[in-house]
Coordinates of all heavy atoms in Angstrom, one line a residue:
D79 N 148.8 162.6 54.0 CA 149.0 164.1 53.8 C 149.7 164.3 52.4 O 150.8 163.7 52.2 CB 149.8 164.7 54.9 CG 149.9 166.2 54.8 OD1 149.6 166.8 53.8 OD2 150.4 166.7 55.8
P80 N 149.2 165.0 51.5 CA 149.9 165.3 50.2 C 151.3 165.8 50.3 O 152.1 165.6 49.5 CB 148.9 166.3 49.5 CG 147.6 166.2 50.2 CD 147.9 165.7 51.6
R81 N 151.6 166.5 51.4 CA 152.9 167.1 51.6 C 153.9 165.9 51.8 O 155.1 166.1 51.4 CB 153.0 168.1 52.7 CG 152.2 169.4 52.4 CD 152.2 170.3 53.6 NE 151.3 169.6 54.6 CZ 151.0 170.1 55.8 NH1 151.6 171.2 56.2 NH2 150.3 169.4 56.6
D82 N 153.5 164.9 52.4 CA 154.4 163.7 52.6 C 154.7 163.1 51.3 O 155.9 162.7 51.0 CB 153.8 162.7 53.5 CG 153.6 163.2 55.0 OD1 154.4 164.1 55.4 OD2 152.7 162.7 55.7
L83 N 153.8 163.0 50.4 CA 154.0 162.4 49.1 C 154.9 163.3 48.3 O 155.9 162.8 47.7 CB 152.7 162.2 48.3 CG 152.8 161.7 46.9 CD1 153.5 160.3 46.9 CD2 151.4 161.6 46.3
L84 N 154.7 164.6 48.3 CA 155.5 165.6 47.6 C 157.0 165.5 48.1 O 157.9 165.4 47.3 CB 155.0 167.0 47.7 CG 155.8 168.1 47.0 CD1 155.9 167.8 45.5 CD2 155.2 169.4 47.3
F85 N 157.1 165.4 49.4 CA 158.5 165.3 50.0 C 159.1 164.1 49.5 O 160.3 164.1 49.1 CB 158.4 165.4 51.5 CG 159.8 165.2 52.2 CD1 160.7 166.2 52.2 CD2 160.1 164.0 52.7 CE1 161.9 166.1 52.8 CE2 161.4 163.8 53.3 CZ 162.3 164.9 53.3
G86 N 158.4 162.9 49.6 CA 159.0 161.7 49.1 C 159.4 161.7 47.7 O 160.5 161.2 47.3
L87 N 158.6 162.3 46.8 CA 158.9 162.3 45.4 C 160.1 163.2 45.1 O 160.8 163.0 44.1 CB 157.7 162.8 44.6 CG 156.5 161.8 44.6 CD1 155.3 162.4 43.8 CD2 156.9 160.5 43.9
T88 N 160.3 164.2 45.9 CA 161.5 165.1 45.7 C 162.8 164.5 46.1 O 163.8 165.0 45.9 CB 161.3 166.5 46.3 OG1 161.2 166.3 47.7 CG2 160.1 167.2 45.8
Q89 N 162.7 163.3 46.8 CA 163.9 162.7 47.4 C 164.4 161.6 46.5 O 165.5 161.0 46.8 CB 163.6 162.2 48.8 CG 163.2 163.2 49.8 CD 164.1 164.4 49.9 OE1 165.3 164.2 50.1 NE2 163.6 165.6 49.7
I90 N 163.7 161.2 45.5 CA 164.2 160.1 44.6 C 164.8 160.6 43.4 O 164.5 161.7 42.9 CB 163.0 159.1 44.2 CG1 161.9 159.8 43.5 CG2 162.5 158.4 45.5 CD1 160.8 158.9 43.0
T91 N 165.7 159.9 42.8 CA 166.4 160.3 41.6 C 165.6 159.8 40.3 O 164.7 159.0 40.4 CB 167.8 159.7 41.5 OG1 167.7 158.2 41.3 CG2 168.6 160.0 42.7
F92 N 166.0 160.4 39.2 CA 165.4 160.0 37.9 C 165.5 158.5 37.7 O 164.6 157.8 37.4 CB 166.0 160.8 36.8 CG 165.4 160.4 35.4 CD1 164.3 161.1 35.0 CD2 166.0 159.5 34.6 CE1 163.8 160.8 33.7 CE2 165.5 159.2 33.4 CZ 164.4 159.8 32.9
K93 N 166.7 158.0 38.0 CA 167.0 156.5 37.8 C 166.1 155.7 38.7 O 165.7 154.6 38.3 CB 168.4 156.2 38.0 CG 169.3 156.8 36.9 CD 170.7 156.2 37.0 CE 171.4 156.5 38.3 NZ 172.8 156.0 38.4
E94 N 165.8 156.2 39.9 CA 165.0 155.4 40.9 C 163.5 155.4 40.5 O 162.7 154.5 40.8 CB 165.1 155.9 42.3 CG 166.5 155.7 42.9 CD 166.7 156.5 44.2 OE1 166.1 157.6 44.3 OE2 167.5 156.0 45.0
N95 N 163.1 156.4 39.7 CA 161.7 156.6 39.4 C 161.3 156.0 38.0 O 160.2 155.9 37.7 CB 161.4 158.1 39.3 CG 159.9 158.4 39.3 OD1 159.1 157.8 40.0 ND2 159.5 159.3 38.4
M96 N 162.3 155.5 37.3 CA 162.1 155.0 36.0 C 162.7 153.6 35.9 O 163.6 153.2 36.5 CB 162.8 155.8 34.9 CG 162.3 157.3 34.9 SD 160.7 157.5 34.3 CE 160.8 157.0 32.6
N97 N 162.1 152.8 35.0 CA 162.7 151.5 34.6 C 163.8 151.9 33.7 O 163.6 152.3 32.5 CB 161.6 150.6 33.9 CG 162.2 149.3 33.5 OD1 163.2 148.8 34.0 ND2 161.5 148.6 32.6
S98 N 165.0 151.9 34.2 CA 166.1 152.5 33.4 C 167.4 151.8 33.6 O 167.6 151.0 34.6 CB 166.3 154.0 33.8 OG 166.7 154.1 35.1
F99 N 168.4 152.1 32.8 CA 169.8 151.7 33.0 C 170.7 152.8 32.6 O 170.4 153.6 31.8 CB 170.1 150.3 32.3 CG 170.3 150.4 30.9 CD1 171.5 150.5 30.3 CD2 169.1 150.4 30.0 CE1 171.6 150.6 28.9 CE2 169.3 150.4 28.7 CZ 170.5 150.5 28.1
F100 N 171.9 152.8 33.2 CA 172.8 153.9 33.1 C 174.1 153.4 32.4 O 174.6 152.3 32.8 CB 173.2 154.4 34.5 CG 174.1 155.6 34.5 CD1 173.6 156.8 34.0 CD2 175.4 155.6 35.0 CE1 174.4 158.0 34.0 CE2 176.1 156.8 35.0 CZ 175.6 157.9 34.5
V101 N 174.5 154.0 31.3 CA 175.7 153.7 30.6 C 176.7 154.8 31.1 O 176.5 156.0 30.9 CB 175.6 153.8 29.1 CG1 176.9 153.6 28.4 CG2 174.5 152.8 28.6
D102 N 177.8 154.4 31.8 CA 178.7 155.3 32.5 C 180.0 155.4 31.7 O 180.7 154.3 31.6 CB 178.9 154.9 33.9 CG 179.7 156.0 34.7 OD1 179.6 157.1 34.4 OD2 180.4 155.6 35.7
S103 N 180.4 156.5 31.2 CA 181.7 156.8 30.6 C 182.0 155.8 29.5 O 183.1 155.2 29.5 CB 182.8 156.8 31.7 OG 182.5 157.8 32.7
Q104 N 181.1 155.6 28.6 CA 181.4 154.8 27.4 C 182.2 155.5 26.4 O 181.9 156.6 26.0 CB 180.0 154.4 26.8 CG 180.2 153.6 25.5 CD 180.6 152.2 25.8 OE1 180.0 151.5 26.7 NE2 181.6 151.7 25.1
V105 N 183.4 155.0 26.1 CA 184.3 155.6 25.2 C 184.0 155.0 23.8 O 183.9 153.8 23.6 CB 185.8 155.3 25.5 CG1 186.7 155.9 24.5 CG2 186.1 155.9 26.9
I106 N 183.8 155.9 22.8 CA 183.5 155.5 21.4 C 184.5 156.2 20.5 O 184.5 157.4 20.5 CB 182.1 155.8 21.0 CG1 181.1 155.3 22.1 CG2 181.7 155.2 19.7 CD1 179.6 155.8 21.9
A107 N 185.2 155.4 19.7 CA 186.2 156.0 18.8 C 185.5 156.7 17.7 O 184.3 156.5 17.4 CB 187.0 154.8 18.2
A108 N 186.2 157.6 17.0 CA 185.6 158.4 15.9 C 185.0 157.4 14.8 O 185.7 156.5 14.4 CB 186.7 159.2 15.3
G109 N 183.8 157.6 14.4 CA 183.2 156.8 13.4 C 182.8 155.4 13.8 O 182.3 154.6 13.0
A110 N 182.9 155.1 15.1 CA 182.6 153.7 15.6 C 181.2 153.6 16.2 O 180.6 154.6 16.5 CB 183.7 153.3 16.6
T111 N 180.8 152.4 16.4 CA 179.5 152.1 17.0 C 179.8 151.2 18.3 O 180.6 150.2 18.1 CB 178.6 151.3 16.1 OG1 178.3 152.1 15.0 CG2 177.3 150.9 16.8
A112 N 179.3 151.6 19.4 CA 179.4 150.8 20.6 C 178.1 150.0 20.8 O 177.0 150.5 20.6 CB 179.7 151.7 21.8
T113 N 178.2 148.7 21.2 CA 177.1 147.9 21.5 C 177.1 147.7 23.0 O 178.1 147.2 23.6 CB 177.1 146.6 20.8 OG1 177.1 146.8 19.4 CG2 175.9 145.7 21.1
V114 N 176.0 148.0 23.7 CA 175.9 147.9 25.2 C 174.8 147.0 25.5 O 173.6 147.2 25.1 CB 175.7 149.3 25.8 CG1 175.6 149.1 27.3 CG2 176.9 150.2 25.4
A115 N 175.1 145.9 26.3 CA 174.0 145.0 26.8 C 173.2 145.7 28.0 O 173.8 146.5 28.7 CB 174.6 143.7 27.3
H116 N 172.0 145.4 28.1 CA 171.2 145.9 29.2 C 170.2 144.8 29.7 O 170.0 143.8 29.0 CB 170.4 147.2 28.8 CG 169.4 147.0 27.8 ND1 168.1 146.5 28.1 CD2 169.4 147.2 26.4 CE1 167.3 146.5 27.0 NE2 168.1 146.9 26.0
S117 N 169.6 145.0 30.8 CA 168.7 144.0 31.4 C 167.3 144.5 31.6 O 166.5 144.0 32.4 CB 169.2 143.6 32.8 OG 169.3 144.7 33.6
L118 N 166.9 145.5 30.8 CA 165.5 146.0 30.9 C 164.5 145.0 30.5 O 163.4 145.0 31.0 CB 165.3 147.3 30.0 CG 165.9 148.6 30.4 CD1 165.7 149.6 29.4 CD2 165.4 149.0 31.8
G119 N 164.8 144.1 29.6 CA 163.9 143.1 29.1 C 162.9 143.6 28.1 O 162.1 142.8 27.5
V120 N 163.0 144.9 27.7 CA 162.1 145.5 26.7 C 163.0 146.5 25.9 O 164.1 146.8 26.4 CB 160.9 146.2 27.3 CG1 160.0 145.3 28.0 CG2 161.3 147.3 28.2
I121 N 162.5 146.9 24.8 CA 163.2 147.9 24.0 C 163.0 149.2 24.7 O 161.9 149.6 25.0 CB 162.7 148.0 22.6 CG1 162.9 146.6 21.8 CG2 163.3 149.1 21.8 CD1 162.3 146.5 20.5
P122 N 164.1 149.9 25.0 CA 164.0 151.2 25.7 C 163.1 152.2 24.9 O 163.0 152.1 23.6 CB 165.4 151.8 25.8 CG 166.3 150.5 25.7 CD 165.5 149.6 24.8
E123 N 162.5 153.1 25.5 CA 161.6 154.1 24.9 C 162.4 155.4 24.6 O 161.9 156.2 23.7 CB 160.4 154.4 25.7 CG 159.5 153.2 25.8 CD 158.2 153.5 26.4 OE1 157.7 154.6 26.2 OE2 157.6 152.6 27.0
G124 N 163.4 155.7 25.3 CA 164.2 156.9 25.1 C 165.5 156.9 25.8 O 165.8 156.0 26.6
R125 N 166.2 158.0 25.6 CA 167.5 158.2 26.3 C 167.8 159.6 26.5 O 167.4 160.5 25.8 CB 168.6 157.4 25.6 CG 168.8 158.0 24.2 CD 170.3 158.3 24.0 NE 170.6 158.6 22.6 CZ 170.8 159.8 22.1 NH1 170.8 160.9 22.9 NH2 171.1 160.1 20.9
L126 N 168.7 159.8 27.5 CA 169.2 161.2 27.8 C 170.7 161.1 27.9 O 171.3 160.2 28.5 CB 168.7 161.7 29.1 CG 167.2 161.9 29.2 CD1 166.8 162.3 30.7 CD2 166.7 163.1 28.3
I127 N 171.4 162.0 27.2 CA 172.9 162.1 27.4 C 173.1 163.0 28.6 O 172.6 164.1 28.6 CB 173.6 162.7 26.2 CG1 173.5 161.7 25.0 CG2 175.1 162.9 26.5 CD1 174.1 162.3 23.7
V128 N 173.7 162.4 29.7 CA 173.9 163.2 30.9 C 175.2 163.8 31.0 O 175.5 164.7 31.7 CB 173.5 162.4 32.1 CG1 172.0 162.1 32.2 CG2 174.3 161.1 32.2
K129 N 176.2 163.3 30.2 CA 177.5 163.9 30.1 C 178.2 163.5 28.9 O 178.1 162.3 28.4 CB 178.4 163.4 31.4 CG 179.7 164.1 31.4 CD 180.4 163.7 32.7 CE 181.8 164.4 32.8 NZ 182.5 164.1 33.9
Q130 N 179.0 164.4 28.3 CA 179.7 164.1 27.0 C 181.0 164.8 27.1 O 181.0 166.0 27.3 CB 178.9 164.5 25.8 CG 179.6 164.2 24.5 CD 178.8 164.5 23.3 OE1 177.6 164.3 23.3 NE2 179.4 165.0 22.2
T131 N 182.1 164.1 26.8 CA 183.4 164.7 26.7 C 183.9 164.4 25.3 O 184.1 163.2 24.9 CB 184.4 164.2 27.7 OG1 183.8 164.4 29.0 CG2 185.7 164.9 27.7
G132 N 184.2 165.4 24.5 CA 184.6 165.2 23.1 C 183.6 165.9 22.2 O 182.4 165.9 22.4
D133 N 184.1 166.3 21.1 CA 183.2 167.0 20.1 C 182.7 166.0 19.1 O 183.4 165.7 18.1 CB 184.1 168.1 19.4 CG 183.2 169.0 18.4 OD1 182.0 169.0 18.6 OD2 183.8 169.6 17.5
A134 N 181.6 165.5 19.3 CA 181.0 164.4 18.5 C 179.5 164.5 18.4 O 178.9 165.1 19.3 CB 181.4 163.0 19.0
S135 N 179.0 163.9 17.3 CA 177.5 163.8 17.2 C 177.2 162.4 17.5 O 177.5 161.5 16.8 CB 177.1 164.2 15.8 OG 175.8 164.0 15.6
I136 N 176.4 162.2 18.6 CA 176.0 160.9 19.0 C 174.6 160.6 18.5 O 173.7 161.4 18.7 CB 176.1 160.8 20.6 CG1 177.4 161.1 21.1 CG2 175.6 159.4 21.0 CD1 178.5 160.2 20.6
T137 N 174.5 159.5 17.8 CA 173.2 159.0 17.3 C 172.9 157.6 17.8 O 173.8 156.9 18.2 CB 173.0 159.2 15.8 OG1 174.1 158.4 15.2 CG2 173.2 160.6 15.4
D138 N 171.7 157.2 17.6 CA 171.2 155.9 18.0 C 171.4 154.9 16.8 O 171.0 155.2 15.7 CB 169.8 155.9 18.4 CG 169.6 156.8 19.6 OD1 170.4 156.8 20.5 OD2 168.6 157.6 19.6
G139 N 171.9 153.7 17.2 CA 171.8 152.6 16.3 C 170.6 151.7 16.6 O 169.6 152.3 17.2
A140 N 170.6 150.5 16.4 CA 169.5 149.6 16.7 C 169.4 149.4 18.2 O 170.3 149.3 18.9 CB 169.7 148.2 16.0
W141 N 168.1 149.3 18.6 CA 167.8 149.0 20.0 C 167.0 147.7 20.1 O 166.0 147.6 19.3 CB 167.0 150.1 20.7 CG 167.6 151.5 20.8 CD1 168.9 151.8 20.4 CD2 167.1 152.6 21.5 NE1 169.1 153.1 20.8 CE2 168.0 153.6 21.4 CE3 165.9 152.9 22.1 CZ2 167.8 154.9 22.0 CZ3 165.6 154.1 22.7 CH2 166.6 155.1 22.6
T142 N 167.4 146.8 20.9 CA 166.6 145.6 21.1 C 166.3 145.5 22.6 O 166.7 146.3 23.4 CB 167.4 144.4 20.6 OG1 168.4 144.1 21.6 CG2 167.9 144.5 19.2
A143 N 165.6 144.4 23.0 CA 165.3 144.1 24.4 C 166.5 143.7 25.2 O 166.5 143.5 26.4 CB 164.2 143.1 24.5
E144 N 167.7 143.5 24.5 CA 168.9 143.0 25.1 C 170.1 144.0 25.0 O 170.9 144.0 25.8 CB 169.3 141.7 24.6 CG 168.4 140.5 24.9 CD 167.3 140.4 23.9 OE1 167.5 140.8 22.8 OE2 166.2 139.9 24.3
T145 N 170.1 144.7 23.9 CA 171.3 145.6 23.6 C 170.8 146.9 23.0 O 169.7 147.0 22.4 CB 172.3 145.0 22.6 OG1 171.6 144.8 21.4 CG2 172.8 143.7 23.2
I146 N 171.7 147.9 23.1 CA 171.5 149.2 22.3 C 172.8 149.5 21.6 O 173.9 149.0 22.1 CB 171.1 150.4 23.3 CG1 172.1 150.5 24.5 CG2 169.7 150.2 23.8 CD1 173.1 151.6 24.3
K147 N 172.7 150.2 20.6 CA 173.9 150.6 19.8 C 174.0 152.2 19.9 O 173.0 152.8 19.7 CB 173.9 150.1 18.4 CG 174.0 148.6 18.3 CD 174.1 148.2 16.9 CE 174.1 146.7 16.7 NZ 175.3 146.0 17.2
I148 N 175.2 152.7 20.1 CA 175.5 154.1 20.2 C 176.5 154.4 19.2 O 177.6 153.8 19.1 CB 176.0 154.5 21.6 CG1 175.2 153.9 22.7 CG2 176.2 156.0 21.7 CD1 175.9 154.0 24.1
I149 N 176.2 155.4 18.3 CA 177.1 155.7 17.2 C 177.7 157.1 17.4 O 177.1 158.0 17.7 CB 176.3 155.7 15.8 CG1 175.6 154.4 15.6 CG2 177.2 156.0 14.6 CD1 174.5 154.4 14.5
N150 N 179.1 157.1 17.2 CA 179.8 158.3 17.2 C 180.0 158.8 15.8 O 180.8 158.2 15.0 CB 181.1 158.2 17.9 CG 182.0 159.4 17.9 OD1 181.6 160.4 17.3 ND2 183.2 159.3 18.5
N151 N 179.3 159.8 15.3 CA 179.4 160.3 13.9 C 180.5 161.3 13.8 O 180.7 161.9 12.7 CB 178.1 160.8 13.5 CG 177.0 159.8 13.4 OD1 177.1 158.9 12.6 ND2 176.1 159.8 14.3
G152 N 181.2 161.6 14.9 CA 182.3 162.6 14.9 C 183.6 162.2 14.3 O 183.8 161.0 14.1
A153 N 184.5 163.1 14.2 CA 185.9 162.9 13.8 C 186.9 162.6 14.9 O 188.0 162.3 14.6 CB 186.4 164.1 12.9
V154 N 186.4 162.7 16.1 CA 187.3 162.4 17.3 C 186.6 161.4 18.2 O 185.3 161.3 18.2 CB 187.6 163.7 18.0 CG1 188.4 164.6 17.1 CG2 186.4 164.4 18.6
S155 N 187.4 160.8 19.1 CA 186.8 159.9 20.1 C 186.0 160.7 21.1 O 186.2 161.9 21.3 CB 188.0 159.3 20.9 OG 187.5 158.5 21.9
V156 N 185.0 160.1 21.7 CA 184.1 160.7 22.6 C 183.8 159.8 23.8 O 183.9 158.6 23.7 CB 182.7 161.1 21.9 CG1 181.9 159.9 21.5 CG2 181.9 162.0 22.8
T157 N 183.6 160.4 25.0 CA 183.2 159.6 26.2 C 181.8 160.1 26.6 O 181.6 161.3 26.7 CB 184.2 159.8 27.3 OG1 185.5 159.4 26.9 CG2 183.7 159.0 28.5
V158 N 180.8 159.2 26.6 CA 179.4 159.6 27.0 C 178.9 158.8 28.1 O 179.3 157.7 28.3 CB 178.5 159.5 25.8 CG1 178.8 160.5 24.7 CG2 178.5 158.1 25.2
S159 N 178.0 159.5 28.9 CA 177.2 158.8 29.9 C 175.8 159.0 29.6 O 175.4 160.2 29.3 CB 177.6 159.3 31.3 OG 178.9 159.1 31.7
L160 N 175.0 158.0 29.6 CA 173.6 158.1 29.1 C 172.7 157.3 30.1 O 173.1 156.4 30.8 CB 173.4 157.5 27.7 CG 174.3 157.9 26.6 CD1 175.4 156.9 26.4 CD2 173.6 158.2 25.4
I161 N 171.4 157.7 30.1 CA 170.4 157.0 30.8 C 169.3 156.6 29.8 O 168.8 157.4 29.0 CB 169.6 157.9 31.9 CG1 170.6 158.3 33.0 CG2 168.5 157.1 32.5 CD1 170.0 159.2 34.0
Y162 N 169.1 155.3 29.7 CA 168.0 154.7 28.8 C 166.9 154.4 29.7 O 167.1 153.9 30.8 CB 168.5 153.5 28.1 CG 169.5 153.8 27.0 CD1 170.8 154.0 27.2 CD2 169.1 154.0 25.7 CE1 171.7 154.3 26.2 CE2 169.9 154.3 24.6 CZ 171.3 154.5 24.9 OH 172.1 154.8 23.9
F163 N 165.6 154.6 29.2 CA 164.5 154.3 30.1 C 163.4 153.7 29.3 O 163.3 153.8 28.0 CB 164.0 155.6 30.7 CG 163.8 156.8 29.8 CD1 162.5 157.0 29.2 CD2 164.8 157.7 29.5 CE1 162.3 158.0 28.3 CE2 164.6 158.7 28.7 CZ 163.3 158.9 28.1
A164 N 162.5 153.0 30.0 CA 161.3 152.3 29.4 C 160.2 152.5 30.5 O 160.4 152.8 31.6 CB 161.6 150.9 29.2
K165 N 159.0 152.1 30.0 CA 157.8 152.1 30.9 C 158.0 151.1 32.0 O 158.6 150.0 31.8 CB 156.5 151.8 30.2 CG 156.1 152.9 29.3 CD 154.8 152.6 28.6 CE 154.3 153.7 27.7 NZ 153.2 153.3 26.9
L166 N 157.5 151.3 33.2 CA 157.5 150.4 34.3 C 156.6 149.2 34.0 O 155.6 149.3 33.4 CB 157.2 151.1 35.6 CG 158.2 152.1 36.1 CD1 157.7 152.8 37.3 CD2 159.5 151.3 36.4

């Protein structure tokens, strides 16, 4: 029954539906770059900032199949939580 499928799909989270990893409360000093290891095994295809505390402009550094770099271009420290995702 299609309604069963629809019900099931509405019960899963974004993280459960995607090949993804979550960066939780990463603190990045003003002008600094954070390097975060991940286990996706491939280069992520995109990311979403799900929470940010601090007035900063967050941009992407290099992404590899093992690590990602997050750059704080702001003048103050920032704390960010992000979801990175790739194809299944």
Side-chain angles (χ1 to χ4, degrees):
D79 184 351
R81 291 175 292 180
D82 292 336
L83 177 60
L84 180 60
F85 177 78
L87 291 176
T88 61
Q89 302 305 307
I90 60 175
T91 66
F92 180 85
K93 290 191 303 183
E94 292 169 332
N95 193 43
M96 301 291 292
N97 184 18
S98 63
F99 72 97
F100 187 66
V101 177
D102 188 28
S103 300
Q104 176 73 47
V105 177
I106 310 170
T111 300
T113 301
V114 178
H116 68 82
S117 59
L118 288 177
V120 297
I121 297 171
E123 294 192 29
R125 61 130 169 107
L126 299 170
I127 295 176
V128 294
K129 184 174 182 182
Q130 177 175 327
T131 304
D133 185 22
S135 173
I136 301 300
T137 57
D138 301 318
W141 294 5
T142 72
E144 294 84 29
T145 63
I146 52 101
K147 293 186 184 287
I148 310 165
I149 304 168
N150 176 359
N151 295 293
V154 298
S155 178
V156 67
T157 302
V158 291
S159 296
L160 309 102
I161 296 175
Y162 286 84
F163 52 89
K165 289 182 181 173
L166 290 175

